[in-house]
Amino acid sequence: MSSRPVTDMQRWFLFEYTDDLLQKLYQLGEAPEPQLLFTGTDLDPYADQSPMLICADSNPSIAAAVNDAPEDWQGLLIDSRHPQEQLLKHLQHILFIGFDGQRKGVLRYSNPRTASYFFPACTAGDLPQWLGPIQTLAWYGATWRISASERAQWCRVENPEAIHWQPAMAPLFLHLSDEQSQALRCQQTERFLFQWWEQQSALSFPQAWVFLEEGMASDFLSAESLSTYLDLRSAYPKARPPAALPQGSDEHRLNYLKASMERSSTDKEWQA
């Protein structure tokens, strides 16, 4: 196939896998012909749970369904002038990334939640290598922090270099920048806090974030100890925590914190 880009812009959907995705596609699509992202890659054994690439232009019923209820269709919207084969190979290529020196992993960029962290962390200089033949990338989603106070919305990034993109004979293995790595770590931290915060009734997310930062600054780093710390701070929101905690195990330090918070709360009630 020629490496020259096609003339007309084409629109694609890269849908995240769900148990009922194929059924929904064939109920709506004229001829969806899904291409499995994992096929032919190191993730081929998991191809039955692969994101699926669908031509939106050939399936107007699917396009209309996404437009009407984007929250029901998890994935990415892609505009490209390049052939499907080249687009698919590029999407497969950016699945596999290096990070933290010699570590390797899989980047789940087709998940709108991950996309909301990862792509905004790309600089103008490195965005073209990630988007490659993609001229416009869009998704309906939000970060965990935004989800605490606002609804998801359409997000979009543009790649002006796409028109000049040419497939490389041997594409370079991509490594996360410090900013991208930090964004993905932030995603995990905000997810943890959001799931804890959802169980609360009278605590704002910004205040919960303050408590979380306090807990991490006090070296409570495991999910269990941080959850306990947040529970204590939430139970005594007006109490002043001690300036420093003693040495010892997380359990010992949390027990000290609880006793201190109880005393502080009792003193405030007595003074009132």
Side-chain angles (χ1 to χ4, degrees), residues 60-77:
S61 297
I62 295 176
V66 173
N67 183 70
D68 291 342
E71 66 277 4
D72 294 338
W73 300 85
Q74 295 289 297
L76 306 177
L77 187 153

Side-chain angles (χ1 to χ4, degrees), residues 232-233 236 239-242 257-265:
L232 286 173
R233 294 295 280 117
Y236 304 98
R240 179 177 298 179
L257 174 66
K258 181 180 180 180
S260 175
M261 301 284 279
E262 287 176 343
R263 287 195 301 272
S264 177
S265 179

Side-chain angles (χ1 to χ4, degrees), residues 46-239:
Y46 310 99
D48 59 344
Q49 299 180 37
S50 171
M52 298 180 188
L53 184 66
I54 307 290
C55 180
D57 296 331
S58 301
N59 294 275
S61 297
I62 295 176
V66 173
N67 183 70
D68 291 342
E71 66 277 4
D72 294 338
W73 300 85
Q74 295 289 297
L76 306 177
L77 187 153
I78 295 168
D79 288 336
S80 176
R81 295 183 182 275
H82 294 263
Q84 176 183 348
E85 179 183 346
Q86 294 178 0
L87 174 62
L88 181 60
K89 285 185 177 180
H90 180 77
L91 293 172
Q92 292 173 330
H93 173 59
I94 63 175
L95 276 171
F96 305 98
I97 48 91
F99 63 101
D100 291 347
Q102 300 300 314
R103 299 178 67 185
K104 296 181 180 180
V106 175
L107 179 62
R108 195 181 169 189
Y109 63 85
S110 56
N111 182 299
R113 188 75 72 182
T114 300
S116 295
Y117 289 88
F118 178 76
F119 291 109
C122 295
T123 66
D126 59 31
L127 187 62
Q129 71 176 338
W130 291 96
L131 294 191
I134 301 170
Q135 184 158 326
T136 302
L137 183 72
W139 64 93
Y140 186 81
T143 64
W144 290 105
R145 182 191 289 261
I146 291 176
S147 295
S149 59
E150 303 175 26
R151 295 184 58 184
Q153 60 182 353
W154 280 105
C155 307
R156 183 183 308 270
V157 291
E158 300 283 346
N159 177 25
E161 301 299 319
I163 191 67
H164 307 297
W165 178 85
Q166 295 288 339
M169 294 296 293
L172 294 176
F173 186 69
L174 296 176
H175 291 262
L176 298 182
S177 67
D178 291 342
E179 292 80 8
Q180 292 162 345
S181 296
Q182 177 60 31
L184 295 178
R185 286 193 292 269
C186 182
Q187 176 185 359
Q188 297 305 313
T189 302
E190 290 187 1
R191 176 187 179 185
F192 164 80
L193 183 61
F194 185 91
Q195 292 176 339
W196 176 86
W197 171 80
E198 271 194 311
Q199 308 303 314
Q200 311 306 309
S201 59
L203 189 68
S204 70
F205 190 86
Q207 185 60 64
W209 185 261
V210 170
F211 290 163
L212 178 70
E213 289 183 322
E214 289 178 357
M216 295 176 69
S218 297
D219 290 329
F220 293 112
L221 302 179
S222 71
E224 181 179 0
S225 63
L226 273 175
S227 291
T228 303
Y229 183 92
L230 290 169
D231 288 342
L232 286 173
R233 294 295 280 117
S234 177
Y236 304 98
K238 296 182 179 181

